Amino acid sequence: MALLEVDNLSVSFHTADGVVRAVRGLSFSVDGGKTLGIVGESGSGKSVSTQTIMGLVRGAEVTGTAKFEGRDLLTMAPDELRKIRGLKIGMIFQDPLSSLHPYYKVGWQIAELIRAHEKRTSKQAAHQRAADLLRLVGIPQPDRRVDDYPHSFSGGMRQRAMIAMAMALNPALLIADEPTTALDVTVQAQVLQVMKRLQQEFGTAIIMITHDLGVIAEMADDVVVMYAGTAMEKAERRDIFLRHHNPYTEGLLESMPAYGGERERLRPIAGTPPSLINLPRGCAFNPRCPYAMEKCRQEEPKLETVGADPRHLSACWLSHNPDERARLRAELAREKLAGPVAAVTDGIGQPA
């Protein structure tokens, strides 16, 4: 049994304009010591899904199950869920400045988390553990910085402090919600290295939520590609990058700098994500998909196995046969894209 198993999770919000279907039938699992990457554009439902699992979403209609160590988090009483948050499941949010309280010292906030779950731990012992945690994540002079306020930390140091807080009680699962978005490249690399080192030391499972495929390439073992509240493709990291099937995954990869050796021009995905109140008929991606067929506009595809690997799933009406899929893609591309297309490849010279 996986550490966390999410099955058919749906989250909807009732608004004056209509029902926002933020998450639609999402399923995934995470094993201990492994990293699951959830990737997609803004508004695809990445953060809402994990915040719902953690009991941080209010006023939503939620269905499905989210079993952590065999217990369904979605049906737990608030007091039970509060005991799990921080102790067994840690969370790192996108903006550490808004996650850390500006009126309290960083060390005090970490110590309070420790004492909330370990009642017998003294203030002095918790304070020392906070300093040790800051040292563990690479904060310089932790014995002094533990008594500083969040505003005196740089962006990278605040994010490291959030990692220290999330890892304070050695949780079995760490949910990282775009933890490197606001950081420069060098600091981002340092933060990711800290997370990888802590995972190796403590065997922590990680859910990495991001829109950055570079982070996915660095961290993830398995990947879920989300669009319009649902999973478009699920596979191991290597299959996502080298043998992807879904056109949305292809679009994300081709919009990356230097993907496929084309450094002079990027290929952005045309259009914008759909309204989650008025989703298009059929496949939600069909208005933006260069390979869309009439069937795509009429019927929504389900996640089905791609090829012989049962772990590689894609929601797309394109053929699962690589040669046939490449031929069909090329024909559709000739009709819809400017200029001739001789073949469609996955960026390494092989049929996608």
Side-chain angles (χ1 to χ4, degrees), residues 101-127:
H101 200 295
Y103 288 169
Y104 297 99
K105 297 175 181 178
V106 171
W108 183 91
Q109 296 183 58
I110 298 175
E112 279 299 292
L113 168 69
I114 295 171
R115 298 187 70 231
H117 291 281
E118 297 180 359
K119 305 295 184 183
R120 296 182 179 180
T121 302
S122 66
K123 290 184 179 180
Q124 183 177 0
H127 184 272

Side-chain angles (χ1 to χ4, degrees), residues 175-193:
I175 299 174
D177 190 353
E178 303 204 33
T180 60
T181 296
L183 306 179
D184 61 52
V185 176
T186 55
V187 176
Q188 172 179 297
Q190 293 168 1
V191 169
L192 294 179
Q193 284 301 315

Side-chain angles (χ1 to χ4, degrees), residues 245-259:
H245 172 268
N246 199 282
Y248 180 61
T249 306
E250 178 183 299
L252 291 177
L253 290 167
E254 289 195 338
S255 65
M256 291 176 62
Y259 181 74

Side-chain angles (χ1 to χ4, degrees), residues 281-301:
R281 185 177 180 183
C283 175
F285 187 59
N286 86 76
R288 307 174 68 190
C289 180
Y291 311 115
M293 303 170 283
E294 185 60 30
K295 188 174 185 178
C296 304
R297 302 182 183 93
Q298 301 298 325
E299 299 179 50
E300 183 175 11

Side-chain angles (χ1 to χ4, degrees), residues 169-337:
L169 299 171
N170 297 338
L173 174 65
L174 178 64
I175 299 174
D177 190 353
E178 303 204 33
T180 60
T181 296
L183 306 179
D184 61 52
V185 176
T186 55
V187 176
Q188 172 179 297
Q190 293 168 1
V191 169
L192 294 179
Q193 284 301 315
V194 168
M195 295 178 65
K196 290 175 69 175
R197 188 177 75 248
L198 293 175
Q199 183 180 43
Q200 292 170 356
E201 290 185 13
F202 301 110
T204 308
I206 296 176
I207 296 178
M208 175 66 71
I209 301 170
T210 183
H211 61 266
D212 188 341
L213 283 166
V215 173
I216 293 295
E218 176 75 15
M219 293 288 295
D221 296 299
D222 300 293
V223 184
V224 175
V225 180
M226 288 190 68
Y227 182 77
T230 193
M232 301 296 282
E233 190 161 8
K234 297 163 64 176
E236 293 184 343
R237 173 185 58 185
R238 182 174 178 82
D239 287 337
I240 287 293
F241 281 89
L242 301 180
R243 289 179 287 275
H244 52 270
H245 172 268
N246 199 282
Y248 180 61
T249 306
E250 178 183 299
L252 291 177
L253 290 167
E254 289 195 338
S255 65
M256 291 176 62
Y259 181 74
E262 298 178 358
R263 296 183 179 274
E264 296 182 0
R265 185 181 294 272
L266 302 180
R267 293 180 180 175
I269 301 174
T272 58
S275 165
L276 296 178
I277 297 176
N278 297 304
L279 290 167
R281 185 177 180 183
C283 175
F285 187 59
N286 86 76
R288 307 174 68 190
C289 180
Y291 311 115
M293 303 170 283
E294 185 60 30
K295 188 174 185 178
C296 304
R297 302 182 183 93
Q298 301 298 325
E299 299 179 50
E300 183 175 11
K302 304 298 181 183
L303 279 172
E304 294 183 349
T305 304
V306 177
D309 188 351
R311 296 170 297 179
H312 189 176
L313 306 173
S314 177
C316 182
W317 291 119
L318 287 177
S319 172
H320 291 180
N321 179 279
D323 295 332
E324 184 179 344
R325 189 166 71 249
R327 178 187 59 77
L328 178 59
R329 277 178 164 173
E331 290 178 359
L332 293 170
R334 288 190 185 96
E335 297 175 3
K336 299 183 180 182
L337 300 180

